[in-house]
Amino acid sequence: MSLLNNVIDHALDDGYAEATARRAAEGGGLPRSLRAKLGVAAGLLLAAAVVTVGAAEARVSAPVVAKERQELIDRIETEASGADDLEQDIERIRAEVGERQRQALQEHGGDQAELVALLSGATPVHGPGVRLVVDDAKDTDTGGGGPRESSGFSDTGRVRDRDMQRVVNGLWESGAEAVAINGQRLTSLSAIRAAGDAILVDNKPLVPPYTVLAIGNGQKLSTAFQDSADGQYLHALVENFGIRSSISAEGDVRLPAAPSLTVRTAEPRGVGAKPSGRATADTGKGTS
């Protein structure tokens, strides 16, 4: 109890109390001599002068900074507009090149011109087929894990580029004559790759859900794909990872022409079999 009483009675250390009393006796710590007072006044004046000069400089430079900022914004907008114009020129030239390539295929294809255009993706086509929609799982695991984990797709419920590769290859193997993903026509030279979490088809990013349209005998093509190894692979993704998928036969599927073609010289090895003819080129004059 004596210790508690001592702590309560001497809450403030004796040294602090003596220093406080000494400053009070000296006039509250304020300088008493004229020289000291002048020094404090000079210091206060210098500080005030520095603050005043800084505020004045900031006020003077504010319009200059605003002008420079606006000039920078104008330059950015000008360069962005120029980039847009260049992109439009690129698309126009690319379209012209594609059109000339299609004309070359039709002019030099002889009796097989329509077949060559069809197989190369040089012309829009339509006919019966299937619609296959593949989408990510509803509730994806953002924490990753599982056998499908990788640096680009840590989420096991995400559709990957290799999944779409197997889906497309399975459709080709099942008898599809023409295939497109989200309106992007595929050819024998098309590439399905990944860039981060995005799936690219011929370097163009796609956004899920991925709608795959394939021309062929609708019901037969649907059954053949689902019974194939790639169809079973897709079914396993649905069962094990919650990836959503649906397939349906369609009476008329329309596919655009491939955005870019690479025309090469080839010599036939022999008389090859023609496709079933269900895919018909859109010539603008009706179905041929």
Side-chain angles (χ1 to χ4, degrees), residues 153 161 165 181 184 191-206 210:
F153 290 79
D161 56 331
Q165 290 173 3
I181 304 178
Q184 184 78 10
I192 301 177
R193 294 291 184 265
D197 289 343
I199 296 179
L200 308 181
V201 174
D202 292 336
N203 294 325
K204 292 188 176 180
L206 303 182
Y210 307 103

Side-chain angles (χ1 to χ4, degrees), residues 104 135 155 190 204 208 257 270:
D135 197 0
D155 187 353
S190 296
K204 292 188 176 180

Side-chain angles (χ1 to χ4, degrees), residues 127-206:
V130 298
R131 177 188 298 270
L132 173 62
V133 180
V134 183
D135 197 0
D136 298 335
K138 289 184 178 180
D139 299 321
T140 54
D141 180 13
T142 56
R148 288 161 48 81
E149 181 176 7
S150 70
S151 59
F153 290 79
S154 61
D155 187 353
T156 59
R158 298 290 303 277
V159 178
R160 301 186 181 185
D161 56 331
R162 67 169 179 258
D163 301 333
M164 297 308 300
Q165 290 173 3
R166 295 203 58 169
V167 167
V168 171
N169 289 334
L171 288 170
W172 286 122
E173 186 178 358
S174 299
E177 299 175 10
V179 180
I181 304 178
N182 285 14
Q184 184 78 10
R185 179 78 173 272
L186 303 181
T187 68
S188 58
L189 301 178
S190 296
I192 301 177
R193 294 291 184 265
D197 289 343
I199 296 179
L200 308 181
V201 174
D202 292 336
N203 294 325
K204 292 188 176 180
L206 303 182

Side-chain angles (χ1 to χ4, degrees), residues 65 138 155 176 209 234 240 259 261:
V65 173
K138 289 184 178 180
D155 187 353
L234 180 59
N240 297 327
L261 298 173

